[in-house]
Amino acid sequence: MKGTAMPSSDLNGKVALVTGGSRGLGAAIAKRLAAEGANVVLTYVGSEEKARAVAAEIEATGRRALAIRADSADPAAVVRAVEETVRAFGGIDILVNNAGIWMDGPLLEATIEDFNRIIAVNVRAVFVAAQAAARHMKSGSRIINIGSNLADRVHSPYMTLYSMSKSALVGLTKGMARDFGPSGISVSLISPGPTDTDMNPANGAHAEHQRSLMAIPVYGRADEVAGLVAYVASAEGRSANGAQWVIDGGVNA
């Protein structure tokens, strides 16, 4: 064992799969679950170096980690990531569907290819991963979907396709909570608002506009979202089934 052992937690020995875990929210979530005791698999598409750095950081704490290249737009790749997780770690207890893409622009200029791609990554991949993972999960397991506060209110033009895809996760999460609930698998949706990551930096071109929408005009941090994921994954989050957690500084207040 390398590095300093993590403190005891009810996630000790659990196996977590975090899609899109090479940077931003996904990396923060992967590292926080490891800090709580879980062994973590993370997927990536193009950021192999960053993904392996996250895995190495986790392993340096004494937890096990694995980075898998898997394009969430490819259903077969999503299933393979789940199956590889099970083969490598012997099971899966926590699935965090974090991978997603951003798309904006005038609706009249959107193409059917745009529509199909955002549905494939932001919606279909969540369904595919959850279905594949649930086949290996035991009672007490968690599926946590990462959505967006834009599912509930569209504050500006040009975000129609993205907002649509995140709205779909509300119904998908609630339906899965009913379907998987009898097996003891809980399903929740965490919907961040403006969060300081490389994709939406707090000093970016549109940051002041986003702050103007917030009751507390301060960007969220990735580790705050990760903390909420860790809570929902823990024993204390047992009853959070079919729940939507909005963490956006009061944008939708």
Side-chain angles (χ1 to χ4, degrees):
M1 180 178 293
K2 299 180 295 181
T4 303
M6 290 295 181
S8 177
S9 164
D10 61 9
L11 296 189
N12 275 344
K14 302 290 186 182
V15 177
L17 170 60
V18 180
T19 67
S22 65
R23 59 196 180 109
L25 287 179
I29 291 166
K31 289 186 280 190
R32 177 58 184 266
L33 292 176
E36 297 293 334
N39 299 311
V40 181
V41 177
L42 56 109
T43 69
Y44 67 94
V45 179
S47 303
E48 180 176 3
E49 185 176 346
K50 291 181 179 179
R52 298 201 181 282
V54 173
E57 186 174 341
I58 290 171
E59 288 181 330
T61 70
R63 303 301 174 195
R64 295 175 62 197
L66 178 65
I68 300 174
R69 188 183 187 283
D71 186 349
S72 290
D74 179 359
V78 174
V79 173
R80 283 196 300 271
V82 173
E83 297 297 332
E84 191 169 343
T85 298
V86 173
R87 284 195 299 271
F89 291 89
I92 181 168
D93 304 291
I94 303 162
L95 169 65
V96 182
N97 283 306
N98 168 74
I101 59 172
W102 167 260
M103 189 178 294
D104 61 6
L107 186 61
L108 288 177
E109 296 177 10
T111 65
I112 192 65
E113 290 77 19
D114 293 333
F115 181 94
N116 288 339
R117 177 159 177 75
I118 203 162
I119 289 295
V121 177
N122 290 4
V123 183
R124 185 179 68 191
V126 174
F127 157 72
V128 171
Q131 186 183 62
R135 292 192 169 104
H136 300 282
M137 286 178 158
K138 56 185 180 293
S139 180
S141 296
R142 306 283 197 274
I143 297 173
I144 303 170
N145 301 323
I146 305 300
S148 169
N149 69 330
L150 293 173
D152 300 306
R153 183 185 298 176
V154 184
H155 309 98
S156 304
Y158 303 154
M159 299 186 292
T160 300
L161 293 186
Y162 180 80
S163 297
M164 172 202 65
S165 70
K166 294 302 184 177
S167 293
L169 294 184
V170 177
L172 185 58
T173 297
K174 291 181 181 297
M176 289 195 298
R178 287 290 184 181
D179 282 331
F180 298 151
S183 299
I185 301 168
S186 71
V187 189
S188 294
L189 175 64
I190 293 177
S191 299
T195 306
D196 188 16
T197 64
D198 58 343
M199 291 183 67
N200 185 20
N203 61 354
H206 305 289
E208 286 308 311
H209 171 68
Q210 293 183 68
R211 287 190 186 91
S212 72
L213 300 171
M214 303 164 74
I216 302 174
V218 178
Y219 259 56
R221 300 194 312 266
D223 64 293
E224 294 168 340
V225 178
L228 183 52
V229 171
Y231 165 75
V232 174
S234 74
E236 292 176 318
R238 177 182 61 85
S239 295
N241 192 31
Q244 179 184 9
W245 305 72
V246 179
I247 176 169
D248 70 353
V251 173
N252 287 348

